[in-house]
Amino acid sequence: SMATFKASGLVSQFKEKLTKGMLEKGYKLEYALRVFKQLEGFGSYGFPESHAASFAQLVYISSWIKCHYPDVFAAALLNSQPMGFYQPAQIVIDAKKHAVEVRPVDINYSNWDNRLEEKSGSYHALRLGFRLVKGLKEEDIALLVSHRKELYTTINALRDIGLTEDPLNKLAGADAFRSIGFDRRQALWEVSTKDRPQGIFYGQLSPEAIGENVSLPEMMLSEHVVQDYASLSLSLKAHPVSFIREKLQLLNISSAKEIKAGKDGQWVKVAGLVLVRQRPGTAGGIIFMTIEDETGDTNIVVFESLFEKYRREILDSKLIMVEGRLQVEGEVIHVIAQKCYDFSKLLRHLTTSGNENLPLLTLSRADEKSLPPSVDNQSHTREPLNEKIFPGGRNFK
């Protein structure tokens, strides 16, 4: 009767039995009722001792591995996706912060799983695996890897082993042809031409592959980052917020790194992509948010009254800006939100098309019901999963 999943308050059924038994044992009624009240309060979120012990053991082991082997820890988490509190982008960012070199997906070096390569500095380099590429099938990658006796040098070599246009397009979209000299746009062009030299020309590069007939404009770095997130849910090239940092500075908006150097009670502005929203049942309606920029993450506390005022900004923003006061307690730093603004329109600057409606959703499909529904339900219409660019913020109740 005492567990988080016993939401119907079954502990209350034992009130009479407990108090009567305690009275018979010589305890006073006031004391008995006080004891039961404590048990009843814990019953709504408690859990068995066995659960607590096993969880504590897992936490200790995981923390030890993360501390001493951050390369192993990151690879294991990425190979276990989907799971956990954070998305692959945050796992990779954290690994890089802990001096782990992370290498991109590549047709000549990646396997299906993320794997560790030779040591680079203190730790092994982490090679991202094909499993991160959205829409790729494991059987197609098994075909690619099994025929990789030597390094591939052309896209047609992949066609020759039996790869069809669909996996080739997905590999090109993931920017996985860098080792043969093609960036994303060049690879997509080469895949689309389907120019396969035949007869005495078999095995030679097509004119397009060596740039004789076409000169493609280079993609901006920010465009590459958007497409990385679209294909892989992460980017090793840059963080999206870094491209609008100059505009944020003009508005006196601090970075996450600058926030951590602030003083208790200081008024600050901070902006970032939403990673997590939590509204614990025992927190009196308080929402805890975590936002991220190119320098790190910031924890935001939103009280219930403020949430009602800024409901749309908090639930709908793809990029949010928060004003509030710093709360510094030792190494724990929060921003107590006072005002919230939807800065999603700034994301239009990531592409040359100037599209302010980039599908950078911040709601996680599986957990949307964790937060109160908006007054305007249409504002939360989900976009198709294959149109999501940046991974959604995780929402838990």
Side-chain angles (χ1 to χ4, degrees), residues 56-70 73:
Q57 184 180 30
L58 289 173
V59 168
Y60 178 83
I61 294 171
S62 299
S63 299
W64 190 91
I65 295 174
K66 186 179 188 299
C67 177
H68 296 285
Y69 300 96
F73 185 78

Side-chain angles (χ1 to χ4, degrees), residues 241-365:
V241 177
S242 66
F243 299 104
I244 58 173
R245 175 56 56 192
E246 184 178 353
K247 294 179 176 61
L248 297 178
Q249 288 176 336
L250 292 175
L251 297 171
N252 295 318
I253 297 173
S254 302
S255 67
K257 183 178 180 179
E258 292 169 334
I259 290 292
K260 289 176 173 59
K263 298 180 180 180
D264 186 47
Q266 179 181 341
W267 185 267
V268 295
K269 298 179 182 179
V270 64
L273 298 176
V274 178
L275 300 185
V276 180
R277 298 187 193 88
Q278 301 177 77
R279 196 178 195 183
T282 58
I286 296 176
I287 290 178
F288 301 95
M289 297 175 60
T290 301
I291 63 176
E292 177 192 74
D293 64 17
E294 75 277 20
T295 68
D297 52 63
T298 305
N299 295 315
I300 311 293
V301 177
V302 182
F303 286 98
E304 186 174 20
S305 58
L306 192 78
F307 170 71
E308 295 303 325
K309 181 177 180 180
Y310 292 102
R311 174 190 294 266
R312 186 178 299 278
E313 288 80 3
I314 293 169
L315 295 184
D316 289 353
S317 295
K318 301 163 186 178
L319 174 70
I320 194 169
M321 193 277 275
V322 176
E323 289 187 47
R325 295 201 179 276
L326 273 184
Q327 184 181 75
V328 181
E329 297 180 1
E331 295 184 1
V332 180
I333 301 175
H334 294 85
V335 175
I336 309 300
Q338 300 295 327
K339 299 178 181 179
C340 300
Y341 301 91
D342 186 350
F343 269 32
S344 302
K345 287 186 177 182
L346 288 180
L347 296 171
R348 70 173 69 177
H349 300 288
L350 298 184
T351 61
T352 54
S353 63
N355 180 10
E356 68 184 70
N357 294 315
L358 286 174
L360 317 180
L361 294 188
T362 55
L363 285 178
S364 173
R365 182 185 181 100

Side-chain angles (χ1 to χ4, degrees), residues 107-120:
I107 59 167
N108 280 315
Y109 303 109
S110 295
N111 292 337
W112 175 253
D113 284 332
N114 304 273
R115 65 187 181 91
L116 300 178
E117 297 184 336
E118 78 281 358
K119 266 201 166 183
S120 176

Side-chain angles (χ1 to χ4, degrees), residues 94-145:
D94 184 75
K96 292 171 69 175
K97 286 180 181 177
H98 289 83
V100 177
E101 180 187 350
V102 184
R103 297 171 176 173
V105 176
D106 192 280
I107 59 167
N108 280 315
Y109 303 109
S110 295
N111 292 337
W112 175 253
D113 284 332
N114 304 273
R115 65 187 181 91
L116 300 178
E117 297 184 336
E118 78 281 358
K119 266 201 166 183
S120 176
S122 301
Y123 306 106
H124 291 85
L126 172 59
R127 174 68 65 177
L128 299 183
F130 292 112
R131 66 183 300 132
L132 291 174
V133 181
K134 296 176 184 178
L136 267 185
K137 297 179 181 179
E138 190 170 0
E139 53 264 34
D140 288 328
I141 297 308
L143 182 66
L144 182 152
V145 173

Side-chain angles (χ1 to χ4, degrees), residues 153-160 168 177 180 182 186-187 190-191:
T153 57
T154 67
I155 291 178
N156 281 333
L158 296 175
R159 289 194 175 103
D160 292 338
L168 288 176
F177 289 97
I180 63 173
F182 292 146
Q186 292 169 319
E190 175 65 13
V191 170

